[in-house]
Amino acid sequence: MANPLSLYDNYTRTQRPFEPIRPGAEVGLYTCGPTVYDYQHIGNYRTFMFEDVLKRVLVWNGYRVRHVMNITDVGHLTSDADTGEDKMETGARRTGKTAWEIAQLYTDAFVADLALLAILDPAVLCRATDHISEQIAFIADIEKNGYTYRTADGIYFDTAKQADYGYLARLDIEGLEGGKRVDLGEKRSPTDFALWKFSAPGEKRQMEWESPWGTGFPGWHIECSAMAQQYLGDYFDIHCGGEDHLPVHHTNEIAQTEARVGTRLANFWLHGYFLLLNDAKMAKSAGEFLRVASLVDRGYDPLAYRYLCLTAHYRGQLNFTWDALDAAATALDRMRHGMHALREAGTAAADTTLVARFTDQINDDLNLPRALAVAWETLRGDLPPAVKRATLVRFDEVFGLGLGTWRPKLEDVPESVRTLADARAAARKAKQWVEADRLRAELAAAGWEMEDRAGGYALKKRTQDRAQGRARD
Ligand code: AMP
Ligand code: ZN
């Protein structure tokens, strides 16, 4: 028997057993989605893949999951302090398109990337701009309960009204108050945040709506409280996002929902830690960032990046390097070829001992690095081939690497290379070792590596050539 699922909850700061709030019902999972003013970078996708793995692990444990993800297409300002421009309007200016057009463009690009990374579609993918009336109703209730005040530029949440405001991130409110360097304007406290922002006088925004308080647009945090409530109810099982959401976005989502209905929104709060690039934060606002397309352009399979993410625990930061991606690509390649070699092994049941050991790892707060080690042990071990294959196919329900269906792309190998490889295989068979070595060197000069396998061979483009391709662009 394997251990039951336990997850690290950032609200209680403990790893504790996962029990659904409503036994037998679907597990409610809300994950904060992309802000669609630009492409998502591979850092964003590290978080989305962690959430995907979480969902797969829940399913592995027999739960049905209702996964809701939002699309932030309005209200996310360039500064977390409720100042600056709406990122959508900035994106519109940068591209010369309308805010509505870029929202669609980058939403489509996001959905396409999800498929490339084998991230399962959420049950509900909801746009903030499709839920303005729900957000207005939410704010109206918060106002009725006495948590708001009005300034010249919007309706604000009065965080001083909540004794436990900031608990999720263990915010040092007094420290924040003491260090008031920032110009608060009419805000009463640095932690207060906008629920509704007014369009500036005389300004016609591309995205604006009528409301009981004046024409304008919702603050960023309210969309998640409102849509989570609409699709999952007042209190649901798990809420996720990146680690940057702890001190502001999730803190404020909790404040809003507590102010409206008295619950703290979700039972478990899980956060994906950042992907770093050269040990610095990878951020869209920093200008240069890597997209899934940047990896594909350099000859990588997007699933090599998925594999790389599986090699690091989600609760630690991961520094991206091309060498690390090369190593992941090579490991994935080996795993795929290893599985492919077992394709004619016939059918069998998965090995129960290995499945239990694998379950122990994934159920220990999603320890995917250790789960991968169990997969390698399975592949390299001496179980009957059919059992190996069945066991690895099961593991792949969590990995999402498509191990069971992968086939080598024969058509990618040029005819001349295949002829050389066939000649070398024939030379080996005839024990003509000198000729075989000569042909191997010829293949290498053409940029190909040949691996001998039982009953045949596999051809691989040499990694150095991939790396050189990278340096050229
Ligand atoms: P955004 O499009 O900025 O709203 O971010 C989408 C998701 O990516 C959120 O859950 C963020 O917390 C997360 N995120 C942002 N930057 C990174 C990063 N460098 N590494 C991992 N996750 C990130
Ligand atoms: Zn959110």
Side-chain angles (χ1 to χ4, degrees):
M1 265 301 275
N3 292 326
L5 177 61
S6 70
L7 298 169
Y8 188 87
D9 168 30
N10 259 322
Y11 196 86
T12 55
R13 300 281 158 107
T14 55
Q15 184 170 328
R16 58 193 179 93
F18 174 77
E19 299 283 353
I21 296 173
R22 281 161 292 140
E26 284 179 315
V27 169
L29 170 67
Y30 188 93
T31 61
C32 290
T35 307
V36 286
Y37 73 111
D38 203 335
Y39 293 105
Q40 291 284 291
H41 56 61
I42 59 171
N44 301 127
Y45 288 115
R46 179 179 188 213
T47 293
F48 296 127
M49 278 191 279
F50 134 66
E51 294 159 347
D52 181 61
V53 165
L54 168 64
K55 180 159 94 180
R56 289 166 180 265
V57 168
L58 288 163
V59 171
W60 175 277
N61 281 279
Y63 299 114
R64 287 174 303 120
V65 179
R66 178 164 167 81
H67 177 200
V68 178
M69 188 194 284
N70 65 304
I71 298 277
T72 299
D73 56 356
V74 68
H76 194 166
L77 302 187
T78 48
S79 147
D80 272 352
D82 289 311
T83 53
E85 206 183 17
D86 186 332
K87 290 186 177 188
M88 297 305 295
E89 307 263 339
T90 318
R93 230 194 1 266
R94 192 190 71 238
T95 56
K97 298 182 193 303
T98 69
W100 295 98
E101 283 167 347
I102 62 165
Q104 192 58 51
L105 173 75
Y106 295 123
T107 302
D108 291 345
F110 172 67
V111 170
D113 281 348
L114 292 185
L116 289 174
L117 292 166
I119 296 173
L120 303 172
D121 286 335
V124 177
L125 188 63
C126 43
R127 290 173 216 268
T129 53
D130 286 338
H131 297 77
I132 300 296
S133 60
E134 289 85 350
Q135 296 176 68
I136 290 175
F138 210 110
I139 300 167
D141 279 351
I142 296 177
E143 182 180 47
K144 205 168 64 208
N145 293 345
Y147 289 88
T148 65
Y149 61 91
R150 186 185 184 105
T151 72
D153 72 7
I155 302 297
Y156 281 80
F157 190 100
D158 189 352
T159 54
K161 293 261 162 69
Q162 264 172 350
D164 60 351
Y165 175 83
Y167 182 76
L168 171 73
R170 309 296 192 265
L171 288 185
D172 170 16
I173 307 286
E174 275 166 24
L176 285 171
E177 297 278 341
K180 272 186 200 168
R181 289 162 290 113
V182 283
D183 178 13
L184 280 182
E186 292 177 67
K187 260 168 56 162
R188 295 178 188 165
S189 155
T191 51
D192 291 356
F193 57 92
L195 295 164
W196 187 264
K197 292 273 280 189
F198 304 135
S199 300
E203 178 206 16
K204 174 82 188 124
R205 281 173 48 93
Q206 296 187 30
M207 292 178 155
E208 60 180 18
W209 296 265
E210 296 308 314
S211 82
W213 311 282
T215 306
F217 59 101
W220 170 34
H221 321 299
I222 197 72
E223 65 172 271
C224 287
S225 285
M227 293 192 280
Q229 187 191 44
Q230 171 161 357
Y231 295 107
L232 296 171
D234 290 344
Y235 185 57
F236 55 89
D237 294 288
I238 309 177
H239 194 312
C240 299
E243 59 170 314
D244 57 323
H245 286 170
L246 276 158
V248 181
H249 183 52
H250 288 171
T251 291
N252 294 344
E253 282 185 42
I254 290 174
Q256 294 165 154
T257 298
E258 246 178 50
R260 188 189 197 191
V261 291
T263 60
R264 61 178 177 83
L265 193 55
N267 187 12
F268 279 78
W269 288 83
L270 271 65
H271 296 87
Y273 283 69
F274 266 21
L275 181 81
L276 308 178
L277 184 61
N278 302 325
D279 291 309
K281 184 177 151 186
M282 184 179 292
K284 277 174 272 197
S285 44
E288 268 276 286
F289 62 87
L290 292 170
R291 295 163 42 194
V292 174
S294 325
L295 307 186
V296 173
D297 287 348
R298 287 159 173 79
Y300 292 96
D301 184 329
L303 294 182
Y305 179 57
R306 187 174 171 105
Y307 187 98
L308 175 62
C309 291
L310 296 176
T311 63
H313 193 268
Y314 78 91
R315 235 153 38 75
Q317 294 184 327
L318 168 63
N319 193 37
F320 178 86
T321 64
W322 291 105
D323 285 345
L325 186 61
D326 276 340
T330 303
L332 175 61
D333 211 45
R334 292 221 170 99
M335 198 173 261
R336 283 170 158 173
H337 278 102
M339 273 294 272
H340 187 64
L342 302 170
R343 70 191 174 285
E344 276 155 17
T347 50
D351 182 82
T352 47
T353 309
L354 285 164
V355 167
R357 284 182 48 211
F358 178 86
T359 307
D360 281 345
Q361 298 308 339
I362 58 174
N363 280 0
D364 178 14
D365 193 32
L366 318 181
N367 197 330
L368 268 297
R370 302 255 288 274
L372 268 181
V374 177
W376 280 110
E377 202 185 309
T378 306
L379 189 61
R380 291 179 174 144
D382 46 17
L383 286 169
V387 178
K388 273 191 194 177
R389 188 178 162 77
T391 309
L392 286 161
V393 164
R394 280 229 61 204
F395 294 173
D396 199 52
E397 290 168 20
V398 173
F399 296 146
L401 296 169
L403 295 177
T405 50
W406 182 83
R407 297 278 171 276
K409 279 198 208 141
L410 291 173
E411 68 276 18
D412 281 350
V413 182
E415 197 47 47
S416 56
V417 170
R418 190 152 292 286
T419 309
L420 277 175
D422 285 342
R424 181 170 174 275
R428 263 176 61 86
K429 207 164 170 199
K431 300 197 179 353
Q432 295 167 354
W433 306 119
V434 177
E435 176 66 356
D437 282 352
R438 190 189 65 75
L439 287 162
R440 179 197 278 281
E442 215 175 304
L443 277 166
W448 290 82
E449 240 164 66
M450 182 167 171
E451 279 179 19
D452 303 308
R453 299 183 193 278
Y457 60 81
L459 283 167
K460 277 199 325 186
K461 259 222 152 92
R462 281 153 55 101
T463 358
Q464 299 92 300
D465 296 297
R466 245 199 322 235
Q468 275 161 18
R470 198 171 70 220
R472 272 200 301 275
D473 44 53

